Every structure is written in C-alpha cells, then in structure tokens.
Amino acid sequence: MTKRAGTDGRGGRRAVRVALVTTVAGAAVLGTVGYRGAVTVAEEVPRVWSGEPYPVADPAAVAAHLDARTQAVYDALALPPGVALAPVPVGDDGISAKVQGVCHARGLEHLLESMNDGGADQPRTAVLAARFTLAGVGATQGTEALGHARRTLTAQGWTVVSADESAPVPSLSLAPPADGPGALAEGASLRYDPVARTLTVGAGAECSRFTDGTAVDGAGQPTALPTPTAPKQLRAR
C-alpha cells in the first residue's frame, strides 16, 4: 500500500514537525506580546526565532578564573602532607572547553534540530572548566577534607548546592558568592573515591559565547587557554 505524504511515513512526520513549529511560534509570540503589552509582534518574532543569546566572555579569562576557584577549594580542604597530584591526568583533568553536546542552539529556528538526540551546537560557544585529581588521600582524610571545605567555603559566602558526604563515594557541590568574568554563573565540585584514594576538585561555568577575535582550531576549541596552575602547593614540587 502506498503511504500518503502528510498522513503517514516520512512525509507525515515532517508535516507534524512543521505544524509544531508554526504552532509553537504563534503561541510564543502571542504569549509574549500579551505579557509585555507594548512590545509589537514585529519586535518579538526575531527574538523568539533566534533565541536568547548566550552570555559573552573571553574563554582564556574564564579558564584562568576557574583555575583560581579550584585553588580556593584546595586551600579549604586543609589536607595534610603526603597528598599529591595524580601522576597521570584522570578523565577531564586540566582546563577544558566543551564545545559539543552541551551548548545547544536556541530559538525556534533550531527546534527541528533539537528534536534529534544530539541537538544543534551553538558555534563559538562552550562550557569552560578546570579540574585536578589528588592521589594518596586516605578515607579519614577524604571525608574530613570535604567537611572542612564545606565549613570554610560557606563561611566565605559560598552556597551548598548538593551534598552526599555519607555516600560510598562522597561528593559536594557549591556555588561561589559572586559570578565570574562576563557575569557567568559558576560552580565547584568535589568527589572522593575511597577505593582509588583520589579526591577530584573541579570548577565550571555556564555556556558562554567567545569574544570577537578569539582564535579557535578546526574543532571549534579556543586555542589560547592557559595552563592550569592550581593547586600551586603541589605543582611547584
């Protein structure tokens, strides 16, 4: 039996998607205009279609700032002598810029793409992060370090986002009292693995668009990210 386009098969699925785009577009525009009153449809359509832009920040400045955040967390751990950096980087250790699968293109023009599993990545946009892993951390040291970090950082104005310090793999996430470069929201996280005797410290910022003139490689990665320096007490050895 022949399938009719628009009612079944590939043609039917496309028709449904196109109908969804037009329905959502109409609802978004009318809803926004009804809320703001004085704003015209002509002014709202481009914003709804293109989406709210990501905040803009210099990736090198953000990365350096996040590296400093991890230094502050390390200081708050108050670990005793004998702890060292993991001899081989673990996972995402270092300074990174994730450009794929995290900062999706916004707006109705990308709605069809967002229905795919991966979505559409926003060009020249990334999640920046800094991370290091400490090795040789005993069980008592690890749990005490997380508790010490919580108390010290909250006293400095940090906010606990989540905590599971009694879990088999204890963890703690916090938000600093102020935003970073470009007014980006940030967060820091700690994870202690008692089996591997490792404690991972990381800091990351929300998706941000690169400033004009930022050089990138063929994969869209910024090419001038700094070398990690934290924790300075261990890298100087």
Side-chain angles (χ1 to χ4, degrees), residues 133-235:
T133 298
L134 305 170
V137 183
T140 300
Q141 292 177 341
T143 54
E144 289 182 351
L146 263 64
H148 198 280
R150 175 205 278 263
R151 294 188 297 271
T152 301
L153 293 173
T154 53
Q156 296 173 4
W158 292 57
T159 303
V160 174
V161 177
S162 65
D164 198 353
E165 296 171 56
S166 60
V169 179
S171 61
L172 176 65
S173 297
L174 308 101
D179 295 335
L184 301 182
E186 302 173 34
S189 62
L190 301 92
R191 181 180 182 276
Y192 174 64
D193 186 335
V195 175
R197 294 168 54 90
T198 58
L199 198 164
T200 300
V201 177
E206 65 176 313
C207 288
S208 59
R209 188 160 48 90
F210 307 153
T211 48
D212 292 342
T214 298
V216 298
D217 61 18
Q221 296 270 354
T223 58
L225 294 180
T227 300
T229 59
K232 60 186 178 185
Q233 295 93 324
L234 303 182
R235 295 187 188 273

Side-chain angles (χ1 to χ4, degrees), residues 93-138:
D93 280 0
I95 289 177
S96 62
K98 296 184 183 299
V99 299
Q100 295 181 338
V102 287
C103 303
H104 296 311
R106 294 171 169 175
L108 293 176
E109 65 175 317
H110 301 288
L111 182 60
L112 297 184
E113 298 166 339
S114 68
M115 291 180 181
N116 299 325
D117 292 338
D121 293 322
Q122 183 68 40
R124 297 181 62 81
T125 304
V127 163
L128 291 147
R131 199 182 91 159
F132 59 80
T133 298
L134 305 170
V137 183

